[in-house]
Amino acid sequence: MLKILSVVGARPNFMKVAPIIEAMKQRPREFQSRLVHTGQHYDARMSDSFFRALNLPEPDAHLGVGSGTHAQQTAAVMQKFEPVVLAEQPDWVLVVGDVNSTLACALVCAKLLVKVAHVEAGLRSRDRTMPEEINRLLTDQIADLLLTTSPDADENLLAEGIPPARIRFVGNVMIDSLYANLERAKQSSVREELGLKGQDYAVVTLHRPSNVDDAPTLAGILDALAQISDRLSVVFPVHPRTRGRLQEFGLLDEIERRAPQLRLIEPLGYLDFLRLYSGAKLVLTDSGGLQEETTALDIPCLTLRENTERPITVTMGTNRIVGTDAGRIVAAARDALDAPRPPGHPPFWDGQAADRILNALLEAR
Ligand code: UD1
């Protein structure tokens, strides 16, 4: 019996851990599951609603760290996580993705000589101005088992000198969540509530500091969205950070006046958001996960960044990297709508990654 302590902290973690916990439930002789929520995300719409939609159990420990600078947040997670690990004595700690909670918990375990497995290891944007890139690089250096979603991630790790024995290609566990919930999401009435039934529409998400913390960049992206909304409705569920900046820069009223077809709404829960983007003609985003989810569902995606740590979504999938220049975004939107990329599905993005992760943990003991 292996005792596995999984860590979640921020919104993109929940859909990666849920299928792994569910798979452990199906194998009770082999696994005992414990769950820690660091509290990096705490709004009901950013956290609680995901626990309900994804059937995540109540966390065994909630660290309640909340917001802060990177140093404050990372340090707070470390301080509060250490006693939990000491009390629980797990065989493995499982961290996912690239948020501050991921690195903080991996670092605690490395010092305590508790084994850590990193789910979604090896992704690299090669842009060290992104906080997530630092989190990825450091977590992979200190984790004992590196579970990867795509062959390019294995290549990145090998190129950094990581021994092959520490690396296992298991596929994409976030896509397990996607396939497990696609049917259930049909019960959501979000399209009807937004008056989109039978209409073509695009979906937007934006939250990267490099896009939303700089007024001219954010204004340029909004200009592009306003132009695209002349052709089809655009729905934009707004992350709390982004809403704060829109208000601060005085952009909120202006955009609502200028582009009535561009709808800014509150962040959506997992099932409502899945229902919304799965019917979209086009997605524009700076998220990492959404680049992958749109590839799995054959939906054209424009990534509003200069790089991606998920190149397989471009080489095999539906994604295009278009940056933040308004003219370039509008031209790419036109291309993507008029000539969508042929669909392609990366290997092991098949809904079975969670079981492969559990098998890897058993084999690595
Ligand atoms: C974090 C992750 C990012 C991930 C994103 C998904 C890091 C470095 N960044 O970014 O990789 O893609 O989550 O959303 O870990 N806030 C709230 N309520 C919340 C959470 C945040 O109001 O529940 C506001 C606060 O003002 C906070 C700000 O958003 O200061 C930023 O939150 P934070 O967790 O630091 O980073 P995210 O931008 O959400």
Side-chain angles (χ1 to χ4, degrees), residues 12 40-43 67 70 73 99-100 132 207 239-241:
Q40 176 172 346
H41 283 174
Y42 44 85
D43 281 0
S67 300
H70 286 274
Q73 196 172 55
V99 302
N100 287 343
E132 293 82 1
H207 72 282
H239 184 286
R241 168 196 282 277

Side-chain angles (χ1 to χ4, degrees), residues 295-313:
T295 278
L297 293 178
D298 306 332
I299 296 163
C301 175
L302 305 184
T303 293
L304 309 186
R305 290 169 42 190
E306 298 300 338
N307 52 54
T308 180
E309 60 288 331
R310 291 159 162 94
I312 199 162
T313 60

Side-chain angles (χ1 to χ4, degrees), residues 42 73 75 135 184 210 216 227 332 354:
Y42 44 85
Q73 196 172 55
N135 294 342
R184 276 178 76 215
S210 56
Q227 292 185 51

Side-chain angles (χ1 to χ4, degrees), residues 279-352:
K281 281 273 173 284
L282 178 67
V283 166
L284 302 99
T285 190
D286 60 11
S287 145
L290 203 43
Q291 296 173 50
E292 299 182 335
E293 290 163 329
T294 46
T295 278
L297 293 178
D298 306 332
I299 296 163
C301 175
L302 305 184
T303 293
L304 309 186
R305 290 169 42 190
E306 298 300 338
N307 52 54
T308 180
E309 60 288 331
R310 291 159 162 94
I312 199 162
T313 60
V314 178
T315 53
M316 281 204 71
T318 46
N319 190 18
R320 303 170 201 226
I321 308 300
V322 301
T324 56
D325 173 73
R328 215 173 132 201
I329 296 171
V330 173
R334 200 179 311 119
D335 278 359
L337 287 165
D338 295 342
R341 292 235 158 114
H345 294 161
F348 281 181
W349 292 24
D350 59 357
Q352 307 299 320

Side-chain angles (χ1 to χ4, degrees), residues 14-90:
F14 305 131
M15 54 293 259
K16 294 167 194 167
V17 166
I20 303 173
I21 292 187
E22 184 55 38
M24 283 196 266
K25 244 196 252 166
Q26 306 302 321
R27 297 166 67 169
R29 297 225 174 107
E30 295 167 291
F31 297 97
Q32 182 191 4
S33 166
R34 309 287 280 170
L35 179 63
V36 173
H37 189 341
T38 67
Q40 176 172 346
H41 283 174
Y42 44 85
D43 281 0
R45 285 197 167 95
M46 300 294 285
S47 174
D48 303 4
S49 81
F50 285 79
F51 270 73
R52 284 195 299 278
L54 294 162
N55 280 326
L56 276 162
E58 273 294 302
D60 298 287
H62 198 303
L63 310 183
V65 299
S67 300
T69 65
H70 286 274
Q72 285 165 347
Q73 196 172 55
T74 309
V77 174
M78 288 184 71
Q79 281 188 337
K80 295 194 167 160
F81 187 59
E82 185 175 55
V84 176
V85 181
L86 287 170
E88 291 281 354
Q89 298 285 323

